[in-house]
Amino acid sequence: MANQSQGQTLLLFSNEMLKAINELCLKRDSIQQEIMDQQKEQRCIQSDIRVLTDRLTELGADICKKTAIRNEFDKTINETQTQYKKIREALLNPIAVRDREREQQSAKQRQEQSVEEAQSQRQESS
């Protein structure tokens, strides 16, 4: 009977060990599935990072090119405005000089008329 009791104890112990091993295997499988899911997510994120890094590089290069083009436009605009002002001044200057001369001539004529009128009034008074 001692052998039989030992056999039952051994069988009970064996069953408990198998149960514990099965539970550990289930937990391991669950962890393995989580690892695989996270590795998949990691690969996706790394792929996204590569795509975004490439796009960031492209944007940086494009911004540099466009900045250089814009700076050329600024330079051309400034040079054109400067030349336009010079041309405008060259065209308007003779007109302004002519207008000033006319105004001066008119002022001189008015002054001469005033002098003549004053002389005329003096002669009439005398």
Side-chain angles (χ1 to χ4, degrees):
M1 195 156 340
N3 276 345
Q4 191 177 13
S5 177
Q6 268 185 337
Q8 285 180 343
T9 303
L10 189 58
L11 186 60
L12 188 60
F13 175 74
S14 179
N15 285 339
E16 289 296 319
M17 282 303 275
L18 287 175
K19 215 191 253 185
I21 291 172
N22 282 336
E23 285 178 19
L24 289 173
C25 285
L26 289 174
K27 287 180 182 180
R28 181 208 175 274
D29 291 345
S30 174
I31 292 293
Q32 178 60 31
Q33 187 59 48
E34 288 177 20
I35 290 170
M36 291 181 351
D37 291 345
Q38 287 179 341
Q39 286 173 334
K40 181 180 178 183
E41 182 181 5
Q42 184 181 32
R43 284 189 301 273
C44 288
I45 290 171
Q46 285 173 335
S47 175
D48 290 347
I49 289 171
R50 274 192 297 279
V51 168
L52 290 172
T53 300
D54 290 347
R55 181 65 181 140
L56 183 61
T57 301
E58 290 171 6
L59 285 172
D62 198 37
I63 288 170
C64 283
K65 287 177 188 175
K66 288 181 179 177
T67 299
I69 292 169
R70 186 208 52 211
N71 290 343
E72 281 299 314
F73 277 124
D74 288 344
K75 181 180 172 187
T76 302
I77 289 167
N78 286 333
E79 289 172 355
T80 304
Q81 286 176 334
T82 300
Q83 292 303 318
Y84 170 73
K85 286 177 186 176
K86 286 180 181 179
I87 292 169
R88 187 167 182 240
E89 287 173 8
L91 292 173
L92 292 179
N93 193 28
I95 295 171
V97 168
R98 185 193 68 210
D99 289 347
R100 259 194 315 271
E101 287 173 353
R102 283 184 182 170
E103 182 61 36
Q104 287 172 352
Q105 190 175 16
S106 294
K108 187 176 179 182
Q109 286 174 350
R110 283 192 302 269
Q111 186 180 14
E112 287 173 357
Q113 274 182 339
S114 294
V115 169
E116 286 176 7
E117 287 175 5
Q119 286 175 350
S120 164
Q121 285 177 359
R122 274 190 223 139
Q123 286 176 356
E124 289 175 6
S125 308
S126 332

